[in-house]
Amino acid sequence: MLAAVLTCVFLVTATTLLHHEVLSALNTVLPRIAIPSRSKLLVVIVVAFLAHLAEISLYGVSIYVLVTHLDAGALAGTADISIPSFIYFSAETYSSIGFGDLTPIGPVRLLAGVEALNGLLLIGWSASFTYISMERFWNARPGPEVKN
C-alpha cells in the first residue's frame, strides 16, 4: 500500500508540473508564432491533447509497474497484461469515462481514484486555458509579424 501512496504523490506532482510547463510554454510562445490568430487555438488544442496523452501514459506505465513488479494489485477484466492495456485503463480513468471493462484490484485502486480526480483537474485547467486563449486570439488584430 505504501508503494501506491508514494506513486500517487509522485504522479500528481509530476503531471501537475508537466501540465504547468506545457501551458506556460504555450502562453509564452503563442504570441510570437507567425500564424493566423485563429490557428493558434488549434495549436493550443493539439498541444494540450499531447500533454494529456503524456500524463495518461505516466499513469498507465506506473500502474503497470505496480501490478507487474511490485505486486500492488491487479487489473481484472483482461488476460492481456501489457502496457497498452494499462494505458487504455488509464485513459478511461483519467477522463472519468470508466467503462468498467477493466477493474483495479488491491492497492492500485487508490491510484485509480487519484488519477480520476487529477485528470478532472488537469482537463479543467486545459479547458480554462483554451477559453482564455480563445479570448486572447479569436478577435486579435494581426500585428506586424502576423499575417491573416
Side-chain angles (χ1 to χ4, degrees):
M1 181 63 138
L2 181 61
V5 170
L6 292 175
T7 303
C8 287
V9 171
F10 169 75
L11 287 171
V12 168
T13 303
T15 56
T16 301
L17 289 173
L18 172 65
H19 215 73
H20 174 270
E21 291 303 316
V22 167
L23 296 183
S24 180
L26 272 174
N27 192 51
T28 301
V29 170
L30 276 177
R32 298 183 207 152
I33 297 176
I35 60 173
S37 293
R38 290 186 176 193
S39 298
K40 292 178 182 183
L41 296 175
L42 183 59
V43 173
V44 169
I45 296 297
V46 169
V47 172
F49 186 81
L50 293 173
H52 289 295
L53 284 179
E55 294 150 6
I56 287 167
S57 296
L58 276 172
Y59 272 99
V61 169
S62 297
I63 296 169
Y64 175 81
V65 168
L66 284 171
V67 167
T68 60
H69 298 304
L70 300 176
D71 199 30
L75 194 58
T78 182
D80 180 25
I81 305 220
S82 65
I83 290 180
S85 293
F86 284 83
I87 290 176
Y88 164 76
F89 170 74
S90 179
E92 73 176 28
T93 303
Y94 183 95
S95 62
S96 299
I97 292 174
F99 290 128
D101 54 339
L102 301 177
T103 308
I105 298 170
V108 293
R109 290 179 302 158
L110 174 65
L111 192 57
V114 168
E115 181 180 7
L117 180 57
N118 190 215
L120 176 67
L121 291 170
L122 295 177
I123 290 168
W125 192 0
S126 291
S128 176
F129 184 85
T130 301
Y131 176 79
I132 290 167
S133 295
M134 190 171 88
E135 277 193 333
R136 183 178 183 189
F137 298 117
W138 194 260
N139 292 316
R141 301 275 183 239
E145 73 283 351
V146 179
K147 297 185 179 130
N148 281 329

